[in-house]
Amino acid sequence: MKILIDADGCPVTKIAVETASNAGIKAVIYCDTSHEFSNTGAEVITVSKGADSADFALVNDAQKGDIVITQDYGLAAMALAKKAMPLTQNGLIISDKNIDSLLMSRHAAKAARRAGKHLKGPSKRTEKQNKDFKAALFN
């Protein structure tokens, strides 16, 4: 088992790497050239900048039983197909039971934005969200 982190815009990269290190599990950070990570305790895979290039590199490396940390439901769906366990930055475990509704909400939000609607962004990250994520990581 490895922890694979979709690190572009991920606020829990440090927590995930520290938790993996403490558990003796390999952590791998995926990002494109527009982001730079020099994280001790994790392997960093930097791919060429491009639409979803880091996502495709991550899912190509994912194996059954790996934990995939992402807030991208499309990547989560691909990880599920590889029998990996996707986990959001807020500790939501994504499964076959909830992926369809998550993808539908993503589609609806994208359609609303295309129609010119302004959607409210996420609120400021809280310590409770960090605790929920850490608790779900090895649940």
Side-chain angles (χ1 to χ4, degrees), residues 93-105:
I93 297 171
I94 300 174
S95 68
D96 290 330
K97 294 179 181 177
N98 62 7
I99 190 64
D100 288 339
S101 64
L102 294 170
L103 288 169
M104 185 55 105
S105 67

Side-chain angles (χ1 to χ4, degrees), residues 7 46 75 81-82 103 117 130:
T46 305
L75 173 56
K82 297 206 60 180
L103 288 169
K117 294 193 180 185
N130 289 339

Side-chain angles (χ1 to χ4, degrees), residues 12-52:
V12 294
T13 300
K14 183 178 178 183
I15 295 169
V17 170
E18 287 174 358
T19 304
S21 179
N22 291 339
I25 296 171
K26 181 178 181 177
V28 184
I29 296 171
Y30 293 81
C31 59
D32 66 29
T33 56
S34 63
H35 297 85
E36 192 171 314
F37 288 91
S38 54
N39 210 323
T40 323
E43 178 182 354
V44 178
I45 296 179
T46 305
V47 298
S48 298
K49 189 175 178 183
D52 301 320

Side-chain angles (χ1 to χ4, degrees), residues 3-4 17 22 26 43 90 92 100 111 127-128 135:
I3 296 178
L4 309 177
V17 170
N22 291 339
K26 181 178 181 177
E43 178 182 354
N90 295 332
L92 174 66
D100 288 339
E127 187 57 36
K128 180 182 181 328

Side-chain angles (χ1 to χ4, degrees), residues 41-133:
E43 178 182 354
V44 178
I45 296 179
T46 305
V47 298
S48 298
K49 189 175 178 183
D52 301 320
S53 58
D55 295 351
F56 290 125
L58 186 155
V59 82
N60 283 335
D61 292 346
Q63 296 178 351
K64 182 179 182 178
D66 288 345
I67 298 171
V68 174
I69 300 171
T70 186
Q71 56 192 354
D72 180 332
Y73 299 145
L75 173 56
M78 291 187 289
L80 282 173
K82 297 206 60 180
K83 305 293 185 207
M85 186 190 84
L87 177 66
T88 70
Q89 65 190 18
N90 295 332
L92 174 66
I93 297 171
I94 300 174
S95 68
D96 290 330
K97 294 179 181 177
N98 62 7
I99 190 64
D100 288 339
S101 64
L102 294 170
L103 288 169
M104 185 55 105
S105 67
R106 178 181 89 154
H107 174 72
K110 188 174 183 179
R113 283 191 302 276
R114 262 190 264 134
K117 294 193 180 185
H118 178 70
L119 303 176
K120 185 177 177 183
S123 54
K124 186 176 178 183
R125 186 153 187 88
T126 66
E127 187 57 36
K128 180 182 181 328
Q129 289 170 311
N130 289 339
K131 286 179 184 176
D132 291 345
F133 169 77

